[in-house]
């Protein structure tokens, strides 16, 4: 079963006191005590970020590890990653993530992992990367479109309610046809895909939602999608 869980925000890095999204990810793996590998490329392999990953997942029923491209654990990255059950991509700079992954061949390895049934997950940049396009602040001056891996159709915008400019920027980009329509996620929301279809949308915050955005006749149509609060 090919699965991707895209987090608009939340998880161990944003709300360490609220484990709902991260335990949801672990629960989607059919194997007990799964091997979960954190890929913090977008943060420049931040040591602080890696420590936060181990602080949470080291206490769960899983086997945590991480992949640093600045200090690679092995030359054979494909075997290293395909040995895992869950690959969890961190946030940061989406542009740098995509460039480094292409240079190291991780784009192809991750597609193979997905096809082989390894669960892919990620937050922010680690959420955007799976779609055809995304809304990014990677360039440092406002929010812009970015071409991504294309495992999932359409575009994606995380932090929809968490950053003031996210919603108006996504509306503007879709309405002007600078980016195709897609899915936006508030902080605290995870969109769970099986294959290329949405299986379920869950949240760690009672009022957090996901939305489908479409442009019709130069007008924005924003539809709120059913979101299940995991704390209910």
């Amino acid at each position: 079963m090919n699965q991707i869980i895209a987090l608009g925000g939340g998880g161990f890095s944003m709300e360490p006191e609220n484990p709902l999204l991260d335990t949801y990810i672990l629960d989607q793996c059919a194997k007990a005590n799964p091997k979960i590998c954190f890929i913090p490329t977008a943060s420049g392999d931040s040591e602080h970020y890696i420590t936060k990953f181990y602080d949470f997942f080291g206490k769960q029923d899983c086997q945590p590890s991480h992949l640093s491209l600045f200090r690679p654990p092995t030359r054979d990255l494909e075997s290293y990653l395909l040995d895992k059950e869950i690959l969890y991509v961190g946030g940061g700079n989406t542009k740098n993530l995509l460039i480094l992954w292409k240079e190291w061949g991780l784009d192809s390895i991750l597609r193979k992992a997905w096809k082989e049934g390894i669960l892919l997950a990620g937050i922010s940049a680690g959420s955007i990367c799976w779609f055809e396009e995304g809304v990014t602040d990677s360039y440092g001056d406002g929010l812009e479109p970015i071409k991504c891996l294309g495992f999932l159709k359409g575009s994606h915008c995380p932090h929809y309610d968490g950053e003031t400019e996210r919603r108006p920027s996504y509306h503007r980009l879709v309405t002007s046809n600078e980016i195709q329509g897609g899915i936006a996620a508030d902080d605290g929301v995870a969109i769970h895909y099986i294959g290329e279809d949405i299986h379920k949308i869950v949240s760690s915050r009672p009022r957090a939602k996901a939305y489908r955005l479409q442009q019709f006749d130069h007008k924005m149509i924003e539809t709120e999608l059913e979101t299940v609060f995991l704390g209910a």
Side-chain angles (χ1 to χ4, degrees), residues 30-82:
K31 186 173 180 180
N33 196 32
K35 299 174 184 176
I36 179 170
C37 182
F38 183 46
I39 306 177
T41 313
S43 68
D45 290 345
S46 163
E47 289 291 343
H48 178 64
Y49 204 179
I50 294 168
T51 298
K52 290 179 77 171
F53 169 78
Y54 284 108
D55 283 347
F56 177 79
F57 285 98
K59 299 172 185 174
Q60 309 305 312
D61 184 18
C62 63
Q63 301 174 57
S65 61
H66 73 279
L67 172 65
S68 169
L69 293 182
F70 292 86
R71 293 172 299 280
T74 175
R75 184 175 288 273
D76 187 359
L77 298 183
E78 180 170 328
S79 294
Y80 183 78
L81 291 177
L82 295 183

Side-chain angles (χ1 to χ4, degrees), residues 66-135:
H66 73 279
L67 172 65
S68 169
L69 293 182
F70 292 86
R71 293 172 299 280
T74 175
R75 184 175 288 273
D76 187 359
L77 298 183
E78 180 170 328
S79 294
Y80 183 78
L81 291 177
L82 295 183
D83 179 56
K84 309 300 189 286
E85 279 78 48
I86 304 172
L87 303 177
Y88 194 139
V89 180
N93 189 299
T94 311
K95 179 72 170 178
N96 290 344
L97 173 150
L98 292 168
I99 290 171
L100 282 168
W101 280 6
K102 185 174 182 179
E103 285 296 316
W104 284 85
L106 253 67
D107 51 350
S108 299
I109 294 170
L110 289 168
R111 183 176 286 277
K112 185 174 182 180
W114 181 50
K115 294 295 186 183
E116 291 189 4
I118 295 172
L119 192 158
L120 306 181
I123 180 172
S124 193
S127 179
I128 294 169
C129 66
W130 311 120
F131 292 81
E132 291 179 311
E133 297 177 299
V135 179

Side-chain angles (χ1 to χ4, degrees), residues 195-216:
E196 296 179 14
D197 299 319
I198 295 176
H199 167 65
K200 191 174 185 180
I201 301 171
V202 298
S203 73
S204 60
R205 305 177 186 183
R207 289 177 292 277
K209 300 292 182 182
Y211 307 85
R212 185 179 302 279
L213 273 72
Q214 299 168 294
Q215 185 266 118
F216 179 75

Side-chain angles (χ1 to χ4, degrees), residues 131 153-157 160 167 170-171 174 180-186 191 193 196-199 201 209-215 219-227:
F131 292 81
K153 301 296 184 185
S155 64
H156 178 55
C157 180
Y160 202 51
R167 185 180 236 115
Y170 198 19
H171 279 219
V174 172
Q180 60 187 305
I183 302 294
D186 289 342
I191 307 165
Y193 287 82
E196 296 179 14
D197 299 319
I198 295 176
H199 167 65
I201 301 171
K209 300 292 182 182
Y211 307 85
R212 185 179 302 279
L213 273 72
Q214 299 168 294
Q215 185 266 118
K219 293 181 180 178
M220 175 56 57
I221 301 172
E222 180 184 280
T223 307
E224 182 179 305
L225 302 175
E226 181 181 359
T227 304

